[in-house]
Amino acid sequence: MSLLDTSGNSPQRIGYIDALRGFTMFLVVLNHVAALCWQLSSNTPSIHHYLTQVRMPMFFFISGFVLYKAGVVWNGRQIVTFFKKKIPVQLLSPLLFLLIFLHVTHTPILDGLLDKNKAGYWFTFVLLEYYVFYAVVKFLVRSRWASWILIFMGLVMYYLCWPTMTTHHQTADNVLALLSAHHWRFFIFFVLGTLVRQHYNLVQQWLDNRWLLPVCIVFFLAVNALGDVLPVKTVVMKGLLSLSGLIVLFSFFRNKQALFSRETRLGRTMQYVGRRTLDIYLLHFFLLPLNLSAFTLFNDHPMPIIEFLASSIIAIVIIAVCLVISEIIRLSPWLAHWLFGAKTTDRPQAGC
């Protein structure tokens, strides 16, 4: 099960994790509104600059968290069974949506495939690659050394794989772009997610430490506030900022899990969104109002709070429309299965 998994039937599901991935999906749509609709420049003061430090790390962290299952042995049979389920939903369905989107936007197919961001559809492809990395290591190393090898791989990828990565060789660069390899830098957070789930009881004891959360909060706020004098843009500092922000956000949802439970309207709604992340992810690109780029007020006269509120309203509307379209498509169990990986019994209620 991944962050974009839609089965919704695991007895080990944790309510606040579903709510957290629902919130993370909101952050993704919110960022796309800011970047693709308003086309905010990197120099424009914006709350999004801080959210991006946590958004994708959290996305992949939860993907790793829900992937790990105690007692699973990654032998040949397990790997074949796993990828028979994952390839249709992580590769074939997103590829279909990507091709349709390229056609609608009049983008040449080859240009879209060789775009390292795949017109926005890179996440599911990269997550499938993460599954391959993880499965290969777990298959080859049947001991606790597998975790250390995965951590080492994650740290190396985080250091090497950035948008500026290039080999200065066209064929090699095209291969890297086809694989969206610069997004491999998030693999360390995927690995951390699997380890946190594996050692969940121990991690909860760490999170309950009276000093950990205050230190993370102060570090995250202080470094961002002093970004003009501190080396915020170094690889190590970026990693520490993402890690500290991830701990703060995860701790918030864990500590407030009663608020995000199915006993509350907010919790039911966010968990419902969390179980429909794949649907929203695949559909929302078609609904982004790109003509807002003509509205340059937020670039010419930055108003971070007003822009954030406006972007949030648009993002919520887009998510709501995606959910309606999703429910219409899911009227057909066959389409629900092949497009969104749903089981025929997967009919969660919004409850709101």
Side-chain angles (χ1 to χ4, degrees):
M1 189 189 305
S2 75
L3 176 57
L4 297 181
D5 179 69
T6 56
S7 61
N9 298 313
S10 171
Q12 299 180 342
R13 297 183 76 93
I14 301 175
Y16 77 86
I17 296 297
D18 277 339
L20 177 55
R21 62 182 177 178
F23 178 72
T24 307
M25 189 69 245
F26 164 74
L27 292 183
V28 169
V29 179
L30 178 68
N31 179 73
H32 289 164
V33 170
L36 303 178
C37 299
W38 304 125
Q39 293 191 2
L40 295 182
S41 70
S42 58
N43 297 322
T44 301
S46 172
I47 297 175
H48 304 287
H49 299 328
Y50 307 105
L51 296 178
T52 54
Q53 296 169 352
V54 182
R55 187 187 73 255
M56 293 317 303
M58 180 58 77
F59 223 150
F60 283 110
F61 173 86
I62 303 177
S63 297
F65 185 95
V66 298
L67 169 71
Y68 178 83
K69 297 293 183 295
V72 171
V73 178
W74 288 87
N75 52 31
R77 177 176 296 181
Q78 165 64 20
I79 290 176
V80 170
T81 301
F82 178 80
F83 282 102
K84 281 179 65 176
K85 294 179 180 179
K86 291 301 180 183
I87 287 177
V89 72
Q90 301 289 155
L91 177 62
L92 301 183
S93 175
L95 181 60
L96 173 62
F97 276 88
L98 171 61
L99 293 177
I100 295 174
F101 186 77
L102 294 178
H103 173 74
V104 169
T105 57
H106 307 291
T107 303
I109 292 178
L110 185 60
D111 290 350
L113 294 177
L114 293 182
D115 173 17
K116 59 189 177 184
N117 292 317
K118 303 292 183 292
Y121 282 94
W122 62 271
F123 177 83
T124 54
F125 304 128
V126 171
L127 184 57
L128 182 63
E129 292 165 359
Y130 286 7
Y131 289 152
V132 173
F133 300 153
Y134 185 83
V136 168
V137 172
K138 285 291 188 178
F139 176 76
L140 296 177
V141 184
R142 305 291 179 84
S143 70
R144 65 183 61 187
W145 280 103
S147 296
W148 290 106
I149 292 173
L150 287 167
I151 292 173
F152 177 76
M153 287 175 55
L155 291 174
V156 171
M157 289 180 180
Y158 186 80
Y159 184 79
L160 296 178
C161 301
W162 286 86
T164 55
M165 177 180 60
T166 180
T167 66
H168 302 292
H169 187 279
Q170 184 174 357
T171 300
D173 287 339
N174 285 341
V175 171
L176 291 177
L178 179 65
L179 296 174
S180 296
H182 76 288
H183 291 300
W184 291 354
R185 69 186 187 274
F186 297 116
F187 183 62
I188 184 60
F189 299 103
F190 175 86
V191 173
L192 288 177
T194 64
L195 294 177
V196 167
R197 188 65 179 111
Q198 180 180 356
H199 305 285
Y200 188 57
N201 292 333
L202 177 61
V203 170
Q204 290 192 92
Q205 294 178 24
W206 292 348
L207 294 176
D208 289 333
N209 181 282
R210 62 180 296 185
W211 294 110
L212 177 62
L213 194 54
V215 168
C216 290
I217 294 174
V218 171
F219 177 82
F220 186 85
L221 295 178
V223 172
N224 278 296
L226 301 175
D228 55 335
V229 296
L230 293 177
V232 176
K233 295 185 178 180
T234 63
V235 172
V236 174
M237 189 63 75
K238 286 182 178 180
L240 292 176
L241 280 170
S242 293
L243 180 60
S244 61
L246 188 152
I247 292 173
V248 172
L249 186 57
F250 186 86
S251 297
F252 177 81
F253 274 78
R254 173 177 171 267
N255 293 339
K256 303 295 182 181
Q257 56 185 286
L259 177 64
F260 300 114
S261 71
R262 292 193 58 81
E263 304 304 317
T264 68
R265 183 180 296 271
L266 175 64
R268 291 193 298 272
T269 302
M270 293 187 67
Q271 287 189 36
Y272 176 65
V273 173
R275 294 193 299 273
R276 290 289 186 259
T277 49
L278 178 61
D279 310 39
I280 297 168
Y281 179 75
L282 295 177
L283 293 168
H284 83 279
F285 290 106
F286 294 91
L287 303 176
L288 292 171
L290 301 181
N291 57 331
L292 293 180
S293 59
F295 186 77
T296 62
L297 176 63
F298 294 137
N299 271 315
D300 298 337
H301 306 282
M303 296 179 288
I305 300 299
I306 302 300
E307 178 273 317
F308 178 79
L309 292 175
S311 297
S312 296
I313 293 172
I314 295 173
I316 291 172
V317 171
I318 290 174
I319 290 173
V321 175
C322 286
L323 292 174
V324 172
I325 297 174
S326 166
E327 286 301 317
I328 294 174
I329 293 175
R330 284 172 176 268
L331 291 174
S332 165
W334 186 85
L335 287 176
H337 175 72
W338 288 105
L339 292 182
F340 303 135
K343 296 181 180 179
T344 56
T345 57
D346 179 24
R347 299 293 298 173
Q349 301 298 318
C352 55

